[in-house]
Amino acid sequence: MLETLQKAWCRETAHPAYQKNWSEDNPAAGQCAVTALIVQEKLGGDIMACKVGRSSHFVNVVDGAIVDLTLSQFGENAKYVDNSFQYRTAKSLLKNKDVRERYELLKSRM
């Protein structure tokens, strides 16, 4: 799934604040929300909002394990902020027009 996502990610599927950071060398930049939605769709589990350093981030928890296909955007020394994990629903993420449009674009590119 990661390889398929990496090929589908593009500047337009990245969060607007991270589009300037997106590149073929850093394709995960700004892709966490839309990727978390895809992972939940494919693998189930829960979507969790958290912090990596000062940045907001989304990951999945599947069968008790963190599945984070976009952590690489923060570099190899990235660490989650303890006690920052909060449950989110796909419905709540998709209420945001920007997230919904980027998610639909990502799905169409897959």
Side-chain angles (χ1 to χ4, degrees), residues 15 18-19 25 27 38 43 60-61 75 81 94 104 109:
H15 185 282
Y18 290 87
Q19 288 181 353
D25 292 330
I38 296 287
L43 301 179
N60 299 82
V61 176
V81 174
L94 292 169
E104 289 170 359
R109 291 175 56 86

Side-chain angles (χ1 to χ4, degrees), residues 48-84:
M48 304 294 279
C50 64
K51 294 277 188 184
V52 174
R54 293 183 178 178
S55 298
S56 296
H57 188 54
F58 291 96
V59 301
N60 299 82
V61 176
V62 180
D63 295 329
I66 294 175
V67 177
D68 188 348
L69 301 183
T70 62
L71 186 63
S72 64
Q73 69 183 301
F74 299 108
E76 61 186 53
N77 295 320
K79 293 188 183 340
Y80 301 111
V81 174
D82 290 339
N83 301 317
S84 69

Side-chain angles (χ1 to χ4, degrees), residues 1-71:
M1 181 183 334
L2 179 58
E3 187 175 319
T4 301
L5 281 163
Q6 288 174 325
K7 289 178 182 176
W9 288 332
C10 65
R11 188 175 313 279
E12 293 76 20
T13 60
H15 185 282
Y18 290 87
Q19 288 181 353
K20 65 186 179 298
N21 299 330
W22 188 91
S23 70
E24 290 184 14
D25 292 330
N26 190 12
Q31 306 289 344
C32 62
V34 293
T35 298
L37 288 162
I38 296 287
V39 169
Q40 185 181 52
E41 186 177 284
K42 302 286 186 192
L43 301 179
D46 296 316
I47 297 172
M48 304 294 279
C50 64
K51 294 277 188 184
V52 174
R54 293 183 178 178
S55 298
S56 296
H57 188 54
F58 291 96
V59 301
N60 299 82
V61 176
V62 180
D63 295 329
I66 294 175
V67 177
D68 188 348
L69 301 183
T70 62
L71 186 63

Side-chain angles (χ1 to χ4, degrees), residues 86-98:
Q86 297 178 349
Y87 175 78
R88 295 289 188 265
T89 65
K91 184 177 179 178
S92 70
L93 289 177
L94 292 169
K95 282 184 181 179
N96 179 297
K97 181 183 178 202
D98 172 69

